[in-house]
């Protein structure tokens, strides 16, 4: 089958209001990948944005049961990227929230869905690190110093610890560097599980954040 023929099938399916979202996802994704179409061309042909069509295709990567649940809920297109990026529990939580009238009036549907998914997912590594206090960071800097870690990295930890104690919020770049330093500390067993230095809770928290 020629690409133009497949594009016609995709557009006809996309525009068919009688088809369920599940049927559209399966039919369109199968057709799209069968002849190696590109997202920009296809999106333009069916009069969708590339981002919208990319999110739609991403839904086809989910389990069949989850696709069916999404289809039954028929969520707004603005939520597709969020749903496509979630795990099963996050998606179920989001779909459940869409059926309840508890969404704040000043919050968009996509923002509301995102918050529901975050509640299930828990804090991200960046959020966990950003929640460390200045005292936590000073302690870890001292610990790194005792283990003869590279002086430049120790000075950086002392610097961000001081900033935190003064009430400053660390930037994304600073958090990225802190995470890199913590990974080095973990690699060298400076931070480890079941620490005998009376700092098990802090060490475990850091190791959870860096997935060690």
């Amino acid at each position: 089958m020629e690409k133009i023929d497949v594009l016609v099938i995709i557009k006809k399916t996309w525009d068919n209001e009688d088809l369920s979202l599940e049927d559209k996802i399966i039919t369109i994704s199968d057709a799209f990948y069968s002849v190696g179409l590109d997202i920009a061309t296809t999106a333009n042909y069916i009069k969708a944005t590339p981002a919208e069509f990319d999110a739609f295709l991403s839904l086809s990567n989910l389990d069949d049961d989850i696709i069916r649940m999404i289809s039954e809920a028929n969520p707004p297109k603005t939520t597709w990227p969020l749903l496509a990026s979630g795990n099963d529990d996050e998606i179920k939580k989001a779909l459940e929230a869409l059926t309840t009238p508890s969404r704040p009036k000043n919050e968009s549907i996509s923002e509301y869905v995102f918050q529901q998914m975050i509640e299930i997912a828990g804090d991200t590594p960046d959020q966990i690190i950003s929640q460390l206090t200045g005292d936590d960071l000073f302690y870890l800097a001292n610990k790194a110093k005792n283990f003869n870690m590279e002086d430049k990295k120790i000075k950086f930890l002392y610097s961000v610890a001081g900033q935190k104690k003064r009430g400053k919020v660390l930037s994304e770049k600073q958090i990225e560097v802190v995470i890199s330093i913590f990974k080095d500390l973990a690699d060298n067993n400076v931070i480890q599980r079941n620490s005998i230095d009376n700092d098990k809770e802090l060490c475990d928290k850091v190791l959870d954040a860096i997935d060690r």
Side-chain angles (χ1 to χ4, degrees), residues 20 34 36 45 47 50 60 77 80 83 132 143 151 165 167 171 191 196:
S20 68
S34 68
Y45 190 83
K47 294 182 172 52
S60 69
K77 296 177 181 179
W80 290 352
L83 294 172
L132 293 176
K143 187 160 185 164
D151 188 54
K165 286 183 73 71
S171 68
I191 301 175
I196 60 174

Side-chain angles (χ1 to χ4, degrees), residues 1-58:
M1 187 177 294
E2 298 294 329
K3 288 186 177 182
I4 186 60
D5 297 323
V6 174
L7 283 172
V8 170
I9 291 173
I10 289 176
K11 179 168 176 54
K12 183 178 179 180
T13 304
W14 180 268
D15 293 338
N16 191 339
E17 297 182 358
D18 293 330
L19 289 178
S20 68
L21 181 57
E22 178 184 11
D23 289 336
K24 289 185 178 184
I25 290 171
I26 294 172
T27 302
I28 291 175
S29 62
D30 284 350
F32 177 85
Y33 292 116
S34 68
V35 292
L37 291 169
D38 67 90
I39 289 174
T41 300
T42 308
N44 181 64
Y45 190 83
I46 66 175
K47 294 182 172 52
T49 66
E52 176 186 345
F53 187 63
D54 185 39
F56 174 85
L57 286 177
S58 296

Side-chain angles (χ1 to χ4, degrees), residues 48-197:
T49 66
E52 176 186 345
F53 187 63
D54 185 39
F56 174 85
L57 286 177
S58 296
L59 294 175
S60 69
N61 296 323
L62 301 173
D63 289 341
D64 291 345
D65 289 343
I66 296 297
I67 292 176
R68 189 168 298 112
M69 291 177 64
I70 292 174
S71 178
E72 291 172 354
N74 196 25
K77 296 177 181 179
T78 54
T79 67
W80 290 352
L82 294 172
L83 294 172
S85 67
N87 61 37
D88 289 359
D89 288 338
E90 292 165 1
I91 294 171
K92 289 176 183 177
K93 173 70 173 178
L95 295 177
E96 180 183 340
L98 286 172
T99 63
T100 63
S102 58
R103 176 171 61 91
K105 292 182 179 179
N106 63 341
E107 191 171 56
S108 70
I109 293 179
S110 57
E111 290 173 332
Y112 182 60
V113 167
F114 176 73
Q115 291 302 321
Q116 298 302 311
M117 294 174 73
I118 285 295
E119 286 184 12
I120 290 292
D123 291 333
T124 65
D126 285 9
Q127 289 171 330
I128 294 174
I129 296 302
S130 68
Q131 290 166 10
L132 293 176
T133 66
D135 288 337
D136 290 335
L137 291 168
F138 267 120
Y139 176 85
L140 292 167
N142 286 330
K143 187 160 185 164
K145 184 177 181 179
N146 291 335
F147 279 83
N148 298 315
M149 189 179 186
E150 185 181 335
D151 188 54
K152 181 179 179 180
K153 295 180 178 179
I154 294 172
K155 287 182 178 179
F156 183 84
L157 283 180
Y158 279 128
S159 174
V160 294
Q163 292 175 46
K164 284 288 288 188
K165 286 183 73 71
R166 293 192 297 273
K168 181 178 178 181
V169 177
L170 300 184
S171 68
E172 290 184 10
K173 182 61 178 178
Q174 286 175 314
I175 292 174
E176 182 180 320
V177 176
V178 169
I179 289 176
S180 176
I181 293 173
F182 286 164
K183 287 181 178 179
D184 285 345
L185 292 174
D187 288 342
N188 290 282
N189 295 319
V190 178
I191 301 175
Q192 56 185 305
R193 299 285 180 184
N194 302 314
S195 173
I196 60 174
D197 296 331

